[in-house]
Amino acid sequence: DSGVTQTPKHLITATGQRVTLRCSPRSGDLSVYWYQQSLDQGLQFLIQYYNGEERAKGNILERFSAQQFPDLHSELNLSSLELGDSALYFCASSVAGTGGGYGYTFGSGTRLTVV
Amino acid sequence: AQSVTQLGSHVSVSEGALVLLRCNYSSSVPPYLFWYVQYPNQGLQLLLKYTTGATLVKGINGFEAEFKKSETSFHLTKPSAHMSDAAEYFCAVKGTGKLIFGQGTTLQVKP
């Protein structure tokens, strides 16, 4: 158990629908990162939050949004889902914001299948 | 901008043989470099990292990596492969606000 909790583990939904993925960071970590992993794109950074504020944005579609709550858990919202959104979505956490050589601790991921 | 390139998407070795997974990086500043491992149906687990100081870094499960600035490389090695090492391995460099990952190398270990 890495200490980063992601729910649900699996999600199957239809095109056009909206889903919410949840992440609880490791105790003491203030940053949460979201990554998308697919066979053709590899691991793509989506977005980072630090202590409730957005810190960095990557290749995140406008249909996707995220937030980090006061208790530091984070949610990734995916809307108007398309078949191509099927992927493994990882959450990671770290103690720092942007600086330093801190590694990230990853959750076990949410496998999203859009049918 | 920082980037990493992993040479070889698949590497196959025999049990007991040397494991060598190659990673080259590009960075305009002194890099922070990482190796992660992903076992099937699991998240990524940190194997080792280089920040500053000693260029030979030892990690978990007998893996180590050497930072070579002149070659812009951070190759991962293990003297003797074990069946349990079969997994996907990712090299990463610290970018602004994020870790930037390579495409990954799948390690197959043959009995």
Side-chain angles (χ1 to χ4, degrees):
Chain A
D1 182 7
S2 68
V4 178
T5 303
Q6 288 189 250
T7 57
K9 292 193 183 304
H10 302 276
L11 200 48
I12 301 175
T13 190
T15 54
Q17 294 299 305
R18 172 189 169 94
V19 298
T20 298
L21 313 184
R22 182 187 169 100
C23 169
S24 293
R26 194 179 59 164
S27 178
D29 286 354
L30 299 178
S31 274
V32 169
Y33 309 80
W34 286 97
Y35 281 81
Q36 180 193 59
Q37 185 180 34
S38 60
L39 284 175
D40 54 343
Q41 296 290 322
L43 271 162
Q44 294 290 314
F45 168 72
L46 297 178
I47 197 163
Q48 178 209 2
Y49 279 83
Y50 176 76
N51 204 20
E53 294 187 1
E54 182 183 306
R55 275 292 178 94
K57 216 166 186 177
N59 302 321
I60 188 166
L61 300 172
E62 285 191 10
R63 301 183 285 108
F64 296 180
S65 65
Q67 54 185 327
Q68 186 179 28
F69 295 87
D71 67 352
L72 301 178
H73 91 272
S74 178
E75 293 181 356
L76 179 67
N77 300 295
L78 314 177
S79 61
S80 302
L81 285 167
E82 302 174 359
L83 295 177
D85 297 327
S86 296
L88 198 50
Y89 290 84
F90 283 111
C91 168
S93 71
S94 75
V95 64
T98 55
Y102 300 98
Y104 299 174
T105 302
F106 280 79
S108 57
T110 294
R111 183 169 295 282
L112 173 66
T113 303
V114 182
V115 297
Chain B
Q2 290 91 343
S3 66
V4 290
T5 302
Q6 292 183 240
L7 304 176
S9 58
H10 288 85
V11 170
S12 181
V13 300
S14 298
E15 192 173 19
L18 171 72
V19 175
L20 171 60
L21 304 182
R22 300 176 187 273
C23 172
N24 287 90
Y25 70 89
S26 172
S27 179
S28 56
V29 297
Y32 295 141
L33 296 162
F34 305 80
W35 274 100
Y36 281 83
V37 61
Q38 184 179 25
Y39 298 102
N41 300 314
Q42 294 186 29
L44 282 75
Q45 180 183 4
L46 180 64
L47 275 177
L48 50 80
K49 66 178 182 179
Y50 169 79
T51 53
T52 58
T55 56
L56 182 62
V57 181
K58 294 188 185 300
I60 62 172
N61 302 337
F63 284 94
E64 61 183 36
E66 187 171 10
F67 170 66
K68 291 187 176 181
K69 184 178 177 181
S70 61
E71 299 177 8
T72 61
S73 69
F74 190 56
H75 301 332
L76 182 70
T77 60
K78 182 174 180 177
S80 177
H82 192 273
M83 296 297 291
S84 61
D85 295 326
E88 188 156 19
Y89 293 79
F90 292 92
C91 181
V93 64
K94 187 76 173 291
T96 303
K98 59 186 178 288
L99 280 181
I100 300 165
F101 288 89
Q103 286 296 101
T105 298
T106 300
L107 175 65
Q108 179 187 24
V109 182
K110 298 177 291 185

